[in-house]
């Protein structure tokens, strides 16, 4: 059912500090924040009601991950506000990577 629903999406710009509302199902969603491109920080939140931005940004961050720019600019995840990034969110995250052809090769890299 949900996969067949047509959602009209408004294109938007990638703005550091923007808060995104990410719909999981028609009744549940979570929130993420745009850091330095292409990194998003996902908050510890699954909700059935809208939460004020002031409350969202005080929640713990579950993880940070690189996301394709089109996921943001397509409008699929709607921007609900912008709050400037504090110093802790400006520190580039370090990611782990394992070579797909040689599982003994492990890498750490900073975004």
């Amino acid at each position: 059912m949900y996969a067949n629903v047509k959602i009209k999406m408004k294109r938007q710009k990638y703005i550091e500090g923007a808060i995104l509302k990410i719909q999981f199902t028609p009744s549940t969603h979570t929130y993420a924040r745009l850091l330095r491109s292409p990194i998003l920080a996902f908050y510890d939140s699954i909700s059935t009601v809208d939460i004020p931005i002031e409350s969202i940004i005080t929640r713990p961050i579950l993880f940070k991950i690189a996301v394709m720019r089109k996921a943001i600019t397509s409008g699929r995840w709607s921007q609900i506000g912008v709050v400037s990034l504090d110093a802790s969110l400006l520190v580039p995250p370090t990611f782990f990577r394992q070579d797909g052809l040689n599982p003994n090769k492990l890498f750490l890299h900073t975004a």
Side-chain angles (χ1 to χ4, degrees):
M1 281 193 266
Y2 183 62
N4 295 329
V5 174
K6 296 281 184 184
I7 300 172
K8 185 174 179 166
M9 295 178 280
K10 181 181 176 188
R11 296 197 52 83
Q12 54 197 8
K13 292 183 180 181
Y14 192 108
I15 302 170
E16 285 185 15
I19 309 294
L20 302 176
K21 180 179 176 181
I22 301 170
Q23 207 70 39
F24 285 140
T25 68
S27 60
T28 61
H29 58 272
T30 192
Y31 298 96
R33 193 153 176 204
L34 300 180
L35 306 180
R36 289 203 171 133
S37 182
I39 308 299
L40 264 68
F42 285 80
Y43 287 100
D44 186 5
S45 174
I46 295 178
S47 184
T48 57
V49 297
D50 290 340
I51 300 172
I53 290 174
E54 299 78 26
S55 296
I56 295 168
I57 63 174
T58 62
R59 292 176 182 254
I61 292 174
L62 287 178
F63 59 92
K64 296 176 184 176
I65 191 166
V67 176
M68 285 181 53
R69 183 175 283 269
K70 188 173 182 179
I72 291 94
T73 59
S74 71
R76 181 178 213 65
W77 298 343
S78 57
Q79 290 184 12
I80 60 169
V82 178
V83 179
S84 58
L85 299 173
D86 59 41
S88 67
L89 294 174
L90 293 173
V91 176
T94 300
F95 293 102
F96 163 84
R97 186 169 55 94
Q98 184 174 22
D99 188 317
L101 299 176
N102 183 350
N104 294 321
K105 282 189 176 181
L106 307 174
F107 305 91
L108 290 177
H109 64 91
T110 302

